[in-house]
Amino acid sequence: AGMVAADALASRGFEDLHVFDMGRRATGGRASVRRTQEGYFFNHGLQFLRLDSPKVSSLAAEWERAGALMEWTGRHGRLDASTGNFAPRSDCEPGAHPGFCSFLEPGKLYVNGGLTEHLRRKNEPGVRVELGCKVSAIDGSGGEGGAAGPWRLRGSKFGEPVHTFGDFDAVVFTDAMAGRKGSPGHVLLNGEVELGSLFPVLDEVRVKPVFSLMVAYARGDVSCDFDAASVVGSEAFQFVSAENAKPNYDAVGVDCDFDA
């Protein structure tokens, strides 16, 4: 969300844009991939994208041409965990059960082919990305007529306190956690007021914890007749995919990785 916001602003002529990303190794946050020391490869956060909205379909085509998105085709469908029955996506009635993040609905599925890095390179040097940064406070001095003056951001970088990330004319928050009172990612305004108190719409966002179980199997240990499935009939699992069936799979010397 942060890189897409920066790209949208840059395309409209804004200059000297800064993106503060909490990621330590690469941009992307939940959209980044995970490579382990053993050579395993996982899309640990973003399993796939649905970009059916007219507002983003033209962007999807542009990103696909650049290789930043990859269309994902394969044996997709719905898995009933209580019976073990698998139904192909083409046999699932539209609207009856949209599946995990609308996985079962008609339309193209994409996986990340390095979208955030593509947007970063595309907009250099007008967009500056700083990794390992957590913004925890924003201070604004009063301007004429009581309006806020420049915004000063404070927080930490790679765990070390940062007195200031600089002064900015405007700030865009692309994670609702910044405005949820009491959340680990909440931001204080002028050292005392949580953003959620000023923007109740952000504080009303309700979230549920979602965890990724990343498992690697040796060749022959597991066999299944699908590449990815939205799961029903389970209180724990919502989605499962074979990572080596995705076009962005980039493991070395590993036969079979699964995300659940």
Side-chain angles (χ1 to χ4, degrees):
M3 290 303 301
V4 172
D7 180 61
L9 291 170
S11 68
R12 288 161 175 76
F14 288 88
E15 299 177 347
D16 194 21
L17 301 167
H18 293 243
V19 176
F20 297 101
D21 194 316
M22 290 180 63
R24 291 175 172 266
R25 294 180 297 273
T27 58
R30 298 178 186 90
S32 60
V33 298
R34 180 74 58 86
R35 292 178 175 85
T36 71
Q37 294 179 348
E38 298 83 1
Y40 306 140
F41 177 93
F42 298 99
N43 294 272
H44 71 290
L46 180 65
Q47 299 302 318
F48 60 88
L49 292 109
R50 294 290 308 266
L51 299 172
D52 304 322
S53 165
K55 291 184 178 181
V56 295
S57 58
S58 60
L59 290 175
E62 172 196 331
W63 296 338
E64 188 175 8
R65 287 192 299 269
L69 286 184
M70 300 178 179
E71 185 179 1
W72 183 24
T73 60
R75 300 167 298 172
H76 302 154
R78 181 181 67 239
L79 176 67
D80 189 331
S82 63
T83 64
N85 292 330
F86 173 78
R89 189 170 174 234
S90 57
D91 293 347
C92 298
E93 182 181 351
H97 186 284
F100 175 70
C101 296
S102 299
F103 178 73
L104 298 176
E105 292 294 292
K108 279 187 175 184
L109 299 173
Y110 297 96
V111 294
N112 184 12
L115 177 59
T116 55
E117 284 299 299
H118 163 69
L119 295 177
R120 179 183 63 81
R121 292 191 298 267
K122 169 188 171 184
N123 292 298
E124 286 180 335
V127 175
R128 177 181 173 184
V129 179
E130 296 194 41
L131 297 177
C133 296
K134 182 181 187 300
V135 175
S136 57
I138 175 172
D139 302 321
S141 58
E144 293 184 6
W151 298 105
R152 175 164 295 180
L153 304 184
R154 295 182 287 112
S156 60
K157 186 167 186 177
F158 295 108
E160 297 296 325
V162 175
H163 177 66
T164 176
F165 287 117
D167 295 339
F168 303 92
D169 295 320
V171 179
V172 177
F173 288 98
T174 58
D175 189 334
M177 294 299 98
R180 292 193 71 238
K181 291 184 291 186
S183 75
H186 77 273
V187 174
L188 290 178
L189 176 63
N190 292 331
E192 54 186 19
V193 180
E194 294 191 22
L195 283 184
S197 301
L198 303 177
F199 306 105
V201 66
L202 287 179
D203 195 42
E204 291 172 3
V205 173
R206 291 294 172 257
V207 298
K208 294 181 179 179
V210 178
F211 297 90
S212 291
L213 174 64
M214 301 176 287
V215 184
Y217 292 97
R219 182 190 297 271
D221 282 358
V222 173
S223 63
C224 62
D225 56 0
F226 59 85
D227 296 327
S230 183
V231 180
V232 297
S234 171
E235 295 183 358
F237 294 102
Q238 302 178 70
F239 182 82
V240 62
S241 69
E243 292 298 270
N244 56 356
K246 293 180 178 179
N248 68 346
Y249 186 70
D250 190 27
V252 179
V254 179
D255 294 318
C256 193
D257 299 341
F258 279 87
D259 254 346

